[in-house]
Amino acid sequence: MKSRTFVVFLKELKESLRDKRALAMLALFVLMYPAFVGFILNDLIKRTNEPEREGIELIVVGGAKAPTLMTMLKQENISATEHAPLDEEGVTELLKGGKSVALLKIDEQFVEDYEAMRPARLELWFDSGADTGRKLKDIESVLNEYSSNIARARLLAHGVSPVTLAPVKVQRYDTGTSASRSGKLIGAMLGTFFIPVFIFCLSTAVDSTAGERERRSLEVLMAQPIKASELVAGKMLAAGALAVIGVTLELIFAHAILKWIPLEELGLSWRLSNLDLTLVILSTIPLCLFAAAFEIALAMNAKSFKEAQSTLSIAMIVPMLPTILIPMLDLTTELWMYAVPVLSNITLLRELSKGQDIGAIHYLLTAGSSLVGAAAFYAFSSWRMRSEKYVLAV
């Protein structure tokens, strides 16, 4: 004989699966966040390699006065196009077209100042609002190298070694692995994978509580020989089941995208194994129950279906805070982070993506923190369900 909790679970799950809008929302968020992260990383790779593939367009006014500089620009795949002199308005209008990264003006007194060993003036005009930051840095790098070459040549001409300008030489050695660098860059994005957990079960949580009470179908359920705790458990499991399905598909999809993207072009890698992914999914199941219990408890206190939706829309900001604050604060990973729902899941996935060794205690804390929260909200909802005032919406 089926338990009464299981009967309620099947009833709520079937009703949720009949709702095409809820299924469409589930499919949307399953695909949206992984695709969003994949798009950002793929675009970053494209931007990183773009100057090498396409070259850099630079407009030069008075280029004949600095032939050595023109040669250096050409060697760095920077295409310098000579242009007639322009005033400030003309330069602004020319850069608005977006065909050139910047405009380099060589001062009319450049040759005289150069020969007299006075600072020879170069003007670099650019649009800071344009998306050309990396290309502009490449141009500035060539100009700095050009200036350094002149300084070294002048020192040698006066019998002074150019080494005098660099009394201390610092050599930098990076011991970080591609996995650890990946965890730092991608870690800020990993939190977005757990936000949909609260969205996947939202529709079921609201409809099975405030919705049923508004339709007066909750009274029929309460008239059956079933305990309030069993009724709430069935509803919570149904909402949690949708969240489990959604987050499992989302993490698998995200894992596949991060494996497919050529992160090595950024000096990164995604080393999460299939076993690690399975453990992450298993440790996320309690979070799904926590999200379901949390939303059911809040929805039960709403006087109407619309009020429940509004309340939960605002309340969902709370679990989103860790995904925003932690990357901004750049906190060092501590054990207490595994004892905070949502934050624990983000921390667990981030450390695994770095290739860190995760002990059993971290998985237990991650699952246990969410289970404790789910139990607390479940107890409150069961107590609330026994109230006639709630059932009758008095």
Side-chain angles (χ1 to χ4, degrees):
M1 183 178 177
K2 294 181 181 179
S3 68
R4 286 170 289 191
T5 297
F6 186 67
V7 172
V8 175
F9 164 74
L10 289 178
K11 173 254 182 192
E12 298 295 348
L13 187 61
K14 287 179 181 178
E15 288 186 357
S16 298
L17 294 177
R18 291 193 190 104
D19 188 350
K20 294 182 180 180
R21 287 178 297 179
L23 293 178
M25 187 67 68
L26 186 145
L28 173 64
F29 283 98
V30 162
L31 301 174
M32 185 174 72
Y33 285 101
F36 175 70
V37 171
F39 173 78
I40 290 178
L41 292 174
N42 193 58
D43 186 62
L44 183 59
I45 293 172
K46 181 180 178 181
R47 290 171 185 269
T48 301
N49 298 328
E50 191 174 24
E52 298 177 7
R53 291 196 301 265
E54 299 180 0
I56 301 173
E57 294 294 331
L58 175 68
I59 296 175
V60 180
V61 176
K65 299 172 185 176
T68 304
L69 176 58
M70 296 300 103
T71 302
M72 290 182 64
L73 290 170
K74 185 177 181 180
Q75 289 173 347
E76 295 298 324
N77 200 23
I78 299 175
S79 178
T81 304
E82 187 69 28
H83 198 282
L86 292 168
D87 56 12
E88 184 175 346
E89 292 183 0
V91 172
T92 303
E93 191 67 28
L94 187 63
L95 292 178
K96 278 185 179 180
K99 294 181 179 180
S100 178
V101 176
L103 183 142
L104 180 65
K105 273 188 178 181
I106 299 178
D107 191 76
E108 293 181 358
Q109 300 296 320
F110 181 86
V111 176
E112 290 80 357
D113 290 337
Y114 180 86
E115 292 176 348
M117 292 191 181
R118 295 191 297 266
R121 184 177 177 181
L122 296 175
E123 296 180 9
L124 185 64
W125 295 69
F126 61 92
D127 183 1
S128 60
D131 189 17
T132 55
R134 183 178 177 82
K135 294 180 179 181
L136 185 63
K137 286 182 180 179
D138 290 342
I139 295 173
E140 291 177 337
S141 177
V142 174
L143 296 179
N144 291 332
E145 182 65 22
Y146 176 66
S147 177
S148 298
N149 289 344
I150 294 174
R152 287 193 291 267
R154 288 177 177 178
L155 286 172
L156 285 173
H158 287 78
V160 180
S161 174
V163 179
T164 307
L165 295 176
V168 177
K169 185 176 182 180
V170 178
Q171 290 184 318
R172 302 172 73 244
Y173 297 94
D174 185 3
T175 60
T177 63
S178 59
S180 62
R181 289 192 295 271
S182 302
K184 189 172 182 180
L185 177 63
I186 304 175
M189 308 177 187
L190 297 180
T192 59
F193 296 154
F194 298 100
I195 293 175
V197 171
F198 292 82
I199 300 174
F200 292 142
C201 54
L202 177 64
S203 178
T204 303
V206 173
D207 188 68
S208 63
T209 51
E212 286 191 350
R213 187 177 62 174
E214 199 170 80
R215 296 190 299 268
R216 297 294 181 183
S217 58
L218 186 60
E219 296 179 25
V220 179
L221 283 175
M222 294 299 294
Q224 305 302 315
I226 185 172
K227 296 179 181 179
S229 59
E230 294 174 330
L231 186 60
V232 172
K235 294 177 179 294
M236 186 181 77
L237 290 174
L242 289 178
V244 170
I245 294 170
V247 76
T248 299
L249 294 174
E250 181 197 32
L251 289 174
I252 291 174
F253 185 45
H255 179 63
I257 287 180
L258 290 172
K259 281 283 189 182
W260 172 72
I261 292 177
L263 293 175
E264 59 275 3
E265 293 190 23
L266 296 174
L268 308 176
S269 65
W270 179 254
R271 297 185 180 180
L272 201 71
S273 66
N274 292 333
L275 176 60
D276 291 334
L277 179 65
T278 302
L279 292 174
V280 169
I281 291 173
L282 290 175
S283 62
T284 307
I285 293 176
L287 178 64
C288 298
L289 296 176
F290 170 79
F294 169 72
E295 293 180 351
I296 286 175
L298 290 182
M300 290 179 69
N301 285 299
K303 295 181 180 179
S304 64
F305 183 84
K306 288 185 177 181
E307 183 182 338
Q309 283 186 318
S310 301
T311 301
L312 288 178
S313 298
I314 297 173
M316 281 177 58
I317 296 175
V318 176
M320 291 181 185
L321 289 178
T323 66
I324 301 171
L325 294 179
I326 297 304
M328 290 176 58
L329 297 175
D330 195 23
L331 297 178
T332 304
T333 302
E334 301 287 347
L335 188 62
W336 65 265
M337 293 182 177
Y338 293 93
V340 181
V342 183
L343 176 59
S344 59
N345 298 87
I346 297 172
T347 305
L348 181 67
L349 184 57
R350 185 178 67 242
E351 293 304 304
L352 284 172
S353 67
K354 290 180 182 178
Q356 300 292 331
D357 293 329
I358 302 296
I361 184 64
H362 300 96
Y363 289 103
L364 292 175
L365 283 174
T366 300
S369 61
S370 295
L371 284 176
V372 170
F377 284 116
Y378 167 70
F380 170 79
S381 300
S382 299
W383 169 78
R384 193 78 171 88
M385 186 67 78
R386 289 194 293 268
S387 171
E388 292 184 0
K389 290 184 178 180
Y390 165 72
V391 178
L392 299 175
V394 178

